[in-house]
């Protein structure tokens, strides 16, 4: 996994080398400053001016090196994360829409948001600091060994313990604790999303209290998980400082005996605590690194998600969809034994309103997604305007289809922006016309800023009004096939009639309505019933 992470910074190796060199100079400069301060302390009657100049020079070099190392390291991190974020978003685009069907919203949001941010610790605080710590330890061990072999071995042993053994021990323990915490937080986020999105249904069914109790129970699980991580983090410096202080005392005793407690060893002893500064940074690394590697694993799981086996056609659909014909279609989801659709056939012509009725889970939405080329048709054919749908370019097919799901997708944007969705050339008259067609003119006019009112969870639009707004958006974006997937299942009779009448009166193309409500079918010209994978004509 680490090798794969490094592939995202391959072209930034020169910057990483510069960051490593600048950081090494900064760390050595700090040790030099401490050593030079010791020399000033024991200088006695000697002239201190040269020592002061050396001291000032060491401070400046250490400061410049530290700044350069931090700047270059974070430059690499932000560049790598920007590239990785582009890769992840491109992957999501390739997965959409079919490949995201089984992705939980909470997990997906965490992967493309928090998890990518957590990976910053690897690029900014792991690669270069480890390289600095290793080379810094080697340089100091050799320097101490040149003065005294035992002193060099003491420094090397303490450095290995502080910068290697102890961080590795803590990392292994934190990896499990952080994985548990991330799992609990992901579940909490999912529960919160469900509570917010299903607010209207929960209130209608008087189940809001029950749902919030479930959210609270899930949130309570975060406490023990965070406490476990906190306990391990609280231990991060204690063992390291015990090793440093013990080695310091041993080194002072050894050098004191060797030199008959000469003041000449004082600069070395004063510089000794600074020998471990980069290693202490590594000792603090396991918590953030374990989180970062856990986040990386989740991001890579998303990147490795198999993409839908969709072979795009070569022909561009330039005409309106005037005929849709399904012949002997059989379909089963990958890795599932159950067949969803079995030898299904139907035909829908221009101007017709067709309805597919069946119980929840019967496969109605699956059939709609096959018509929209979300999935390929492995057995049987779907023809659009007499041509196999597989031969049409998917993008051109989608341009001719408007799809309204059960829950209207309203964005945190103004009413106008929700209606336009990128079509900036729409005129105000066109917007007013479609709002009148779905009976929303007075409702929008009552809003504080009219069309420029920002819609959010507290905008006050009911579920029915949101669905009508989504229908108005469909009217504004021309298409020749309108697919409605349970559009009125959660609506009252008034909103249902407004939506159905607006479609009948103002939509010029063919319509396919998926529903489990028998009373909606009177609106349709032709009706099919889907049960046990079989499709039969009812009207």
């Amino acid at each position: 996994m680490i090798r794969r992470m490094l592939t995202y910074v391959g072209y930034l190796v020169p910057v990483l080398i510069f960051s490593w060199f600048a950081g090494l100079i900064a760390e050595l400069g700090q040790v030099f400053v401490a050593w030079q301060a010791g020399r000033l302390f024991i200088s006695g009657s000697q002239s201190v001016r040269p020592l002061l100049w050396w001291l000032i020079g060491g401070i400046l070099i250490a400061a410049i090196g530290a700044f350069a190392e931090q700047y270059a390291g974070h430059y690499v991190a932000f560049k790598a994360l920007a590239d990785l974020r582009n890769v992840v978003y491109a992957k999501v685009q390739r997965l959409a829409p079919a490949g995201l069907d089984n992705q939980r919203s909470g997990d997906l949001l965490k992967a493309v948001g928090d998890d990518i941010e957590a990976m910053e610790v690897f690029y900014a605080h792991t690669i270069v600091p480890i390289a600095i710590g290793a080379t810094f330890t080697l340089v100091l061990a050799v320097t101490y060994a040149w003065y005294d072999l035992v002193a060099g071995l003491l420094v090397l042993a303490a450095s290995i313990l502080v910068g290697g053994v102890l961080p590795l021990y803590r990392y292994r323990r934190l990896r499990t604790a952080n994985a548990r915490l991330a799992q609990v937080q992901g579940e909490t986020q999912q529960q919160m999303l469900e509570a917010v999105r299903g607010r209207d249904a929960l209130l209608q069914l008087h189940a809001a209290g029950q749902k919030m109790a479930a959210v609270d129970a899930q949130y309570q699980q975060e406490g023990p998980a965070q406490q476990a991580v906190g306990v391990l983090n609280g231990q991060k410096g204690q063992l390291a400082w015990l090793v440093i202080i013990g080695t310091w005392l041993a080194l002072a005793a050894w050098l004191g005996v060797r030199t008959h407690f000469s003041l000449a060893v004082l600069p070395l002893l004063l510089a000794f605590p600074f020998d471990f500064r980069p290693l202490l940074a590594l000792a603090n690394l396991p918590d953030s690194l374990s989180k970062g590697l856990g986040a990386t694993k989740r991001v890579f799981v998303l990147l490795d998600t198999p993409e839908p086996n969709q072979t795009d056609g070569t022909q561009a659909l330039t005409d309106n969809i005037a005929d849709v014909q399904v012949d002997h279609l059989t379909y089963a989801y990958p890795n599932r034994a159950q067949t969803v659709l079995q030898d299904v056939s139907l035909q829908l012509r221009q101007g017709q309103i067709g309805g597919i009725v069946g119980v929840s889970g019967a496969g109605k939405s699956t059939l709609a997604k096959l018509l929209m080329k979300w999935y390929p048709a492995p057995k049987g054919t779907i023809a659009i305007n007499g041509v196999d749908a597989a031969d049409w370019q998917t993008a051109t097919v989608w341009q001719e289809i408007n799809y309204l799901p059960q829950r209207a997708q309203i964005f945190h944007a103004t009413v106008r922006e929700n209606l336009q969705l990128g079509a900036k050339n729409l005129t105000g008259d066109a917007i007013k016309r479609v709002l009148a067609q779905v009976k929303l003119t007075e409702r929008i006019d009552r809003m504080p800023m009219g069309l420029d009112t920002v819609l959010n969870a507290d905008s006050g639009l009911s579920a029915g009004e949101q669905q009508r707004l989504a229908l108005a958006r469909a009217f504004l974006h021309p298409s020749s096939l309108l697919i409605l997937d349970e559009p009125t299942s959660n609506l009252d009779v008034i909103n249902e009639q407004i939506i159905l009448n607006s479609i009948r009166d103002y939509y010029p193309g063919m319509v396919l309505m998926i529903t489990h409500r028998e009373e909606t079918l009177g609106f349709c010209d032709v009706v099919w019933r889907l049960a046990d994978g079989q499709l039969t004509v009812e009207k």
Side-chain angles (χ1 to χ4, degrees):
M1 183 169 65
I2 291 179
R3 181 180 299 177
R4 184 176 178 182
M5 293 175 75
L6 291 174
T7 60
Y8 292 97
V9 293
Y11 70 101
L12 295 169
V13 168
V15 184
L16 285 171
I17 293 174
F18 172 78
S19 179
W20 161 77
F21 181 75
L24 182 61
I25 293 300
E27 298 297 346
L28 292 175
Q30 292 186 52
V31 174
F32 175 80
V33 168
W35 177 71
Q36 198 67 17
R39 291 185 64 198
L40 275 171
F41 184 76
I42 64 172
S43 61
S45 59
Q46 298 179 17
S47 175
V48 298
R49 178 170 293 181
L51 297 178
L52 282 173
W53 281 115
W54 279 109
L55 182 66
I56 293 171
I59 293 172
L60 290 174
I61 290 174
I64 293 172
F67 174 80
E69 185 266 329
Q70 288 290 312
Y71 184 88
H74 283 85
Y75 174 82
V76 169
F78 295 143
K79 286 288 291 182
L81 293 186
D83 293 343
L84 186 60
R85 188 170 280 109
N86 288 335
V87 170
V88 170
Y89 286 151
K91 176 69 176 185
V92 171
Q93 283 184 319
R94 293 195 301 273
L95 286 173
L100 300 179
D101 260 3
N102 296 322
Q103 293 280 350
R104 297 198 316 171
S105 300
D107 293 342
L108 188 61
L109 285 173
K110 188 171 180 60
V112 302
D114 295 344
D115 284 345
I116 292 179
E117 292 297 328
M119 293 173 68
E120 185 262 350
V121 70
F122 175 78
Y123 295 109
H125 304 294
T126 302
I127 303 175
V128 171
I130 288 177
I132 291 173
T135 52
F136 180 79
T137 296
L138 183 62
V139 169
L140 285 185
V142 170
T143 302
Y144 275 90
W146 175 77
Y147 183 81
D148 182 273
L149 181 59
V150 174
L153 292 175
L154 279 172
V155 170
L156 181 61
S159 298
I160 292 174
L161 281 173
V162 172
V165 176
L166 293 179
L168 183 61
Y169 168 73
R170 284 188 58 248
Y171 167 72
R172 288 180 174 176
R173 295 189 64 188
L174 277 166
R175 180 173 55 187
T176 302
N178 276 321
R180 170 60 182 161
L181 179 59
Q183 179 186 4
V184 172
Q185 289 175 333
E187 290 288 343
T188 303
Q189 191 172 33
Q190 182 67 27
Q191 291 273 10
M192 289 296 297
L193 280 171
E194 291 175 357
V196 172
R197 289 177 173 176
R199 180 191 62 177
D200 293 338
L202 291 170
L203 291 173
Q204 181 181 359
L205 299 172
H206 305 288
Q210 180 182 352
K211 183 63 177 177
M212 291 311 299
V215 172
D216 184 64
Q218 177 63 38
Y219 183 74
Q220 293 302 320
Q221 294 184 35
E222 286 194 29
Q226 288 178 334
Q227 186 177 16
V229 173
V231 169
L232 292 173
N233 281 330
Q235 301 170 353
K236 62 185 178 183
Q238 299 170 0
L239 293 177
W241 275 109
L242 284 175
V243 171
I244 293 171
I245 293 172
T247 307
W248 196 10
L249 293 175
L251 183 65
W254 172 256
L255 292 179
V257 171
R258 284 290 308 273
T259 63
H260 304 289
F261 298 97
S262 169
L263 288 176
V265 301
L266 186 60
L268 279 178
L269 294 177
L270 286 176
F272 180 81
F274 293 89
D275 298 350
F276 295 90
R277 207 190 78 85
L279 300 179
L280 285 172
L282 296 182
N284 294 332
L285 188 61
D287 177 43
S288 52
L289 181 59
S290 64
K291 289 180 181 178
L293 293 181
T296 302
K297 184 177 180 180
R298 290 187 290 274
V299 170
F300 285 166
V301 166
L302 175 62
L303 291 178
D304 294 337
T305 300
E307 296 175 14
N309 183 21
Q310 184 71 284
T311 302
D312 205 5
T314 57
Q315 299 184 51
L317 180 62
T318 56
D319 298 324
N320 290 342
I321 297 177
D323 180 79
V324 174
Q325 185 160 349
V326 179
D327 287 317
H328 306 291
L329 176 67
T330 297
Y331 184 79
Y333 283 106
N335 304 320
R336 297 186 195 177
Q338 182 181 4
T339 299
V340 182
L341 303 172
Q342 182 68 47
D343 197 30
V344 167
S345 298
L346 64 82
Q347 185 174 22
L348 191 64
R349 296 185 177 89
Q350 187 173 16
Q352 280 188 318
I353 298 176
I356 300 178
V357 66
V359 299
S360 296
K364 305 184 299 297
S365 297
T366 300
L367 178 56
K369 292 170 182 177
L370 285 163
L371 293 176
M372 293 186 291
K373 294 192 66 175
W374 282 28
Y375 315 124
K379 186 176 180 181
T381 59
I382 299 174
I384 297 176
N385 291 353
V387 178
D388 193 325
D391 295 333
W392 292 119
Q393 294 175 2
T394 302
T396 61
V397 173
W398 287 355
Q399 287 175 355
E400 289 298 320
I401 298 175
N402 263 316
Y403 173 61
L404 265 67
Q406 180 176 351
R407 183 180 181 276
Q409 180 60 62
I410 303 300
F411 297 92
H412 182 73
T414 65
V415 176
R416 190 189 310 275
E417 290 167 339
N418 266 280
L419 290 170
Q420 290 175 330
L421 274 191
K424 302 299 183 183
N425 57 338
L426 292 175
T427 65
D429 289 340
I431 292 175
K432 291 178 181 179
R433 183 181 68 252
V434 296
L435 288 176
Q437 290 171 354
V438 298
K439 305 294 188 292
L440 275 180
T441 302
E442 293 183 5
R443 180 68 182 88
I444 301 302
D445 287 343
R446 291 200 307 268
M447 288 184 168
M449 301 292 292
L451 287 171
D452 295 316
T453 301
V454 176
L455 298 177
N456 51 47
D458 300 319
S459 61
L461 287 180
S462 67
E465 290 168 339
Q466 291 181 25
Q467 196 68 273
R468 284 150 59 190
L469 189 67
L471 181 60
R473 181 166 60 206
F475 287 170
L476 280 170
H477 293 72
S479 65
S480 50
L481 172 58
L482 177 62
I483 297 178
L484 302 102
D485 193 350
E486 302 280 7
T488 63
S489 60
N490 294 324
L491 305 185
D492 55 43
V493 175
I494 295 176
N495 277 296
E496 179 183 21
Q497 286 302 313
I498 290 174
I499 288 175
L500 296 179
N501 291 337
S502 297
I503 293 170
R504 183 189 59 205
D505 295 340
Y506 300 111
Y507 187 75
M510 67 177 69
V511 178
L512 182 63
M513 180 175 297
I514 295 166
T515 183
H516 66 271
R517 297 176 64 165
E518 302 283 348
E519 56 270 23
T520 306
L521 301 178
F523 171 75
C524 301
D525 302 316
V526 58
V527 176
W528 298 273
R529 179 173 294 277
L530 184 60
D532 299 323
Q534 304 288 326
L535 192 71
T536 56
V537 179
E538 286 212 342
K539 177 182 177 182

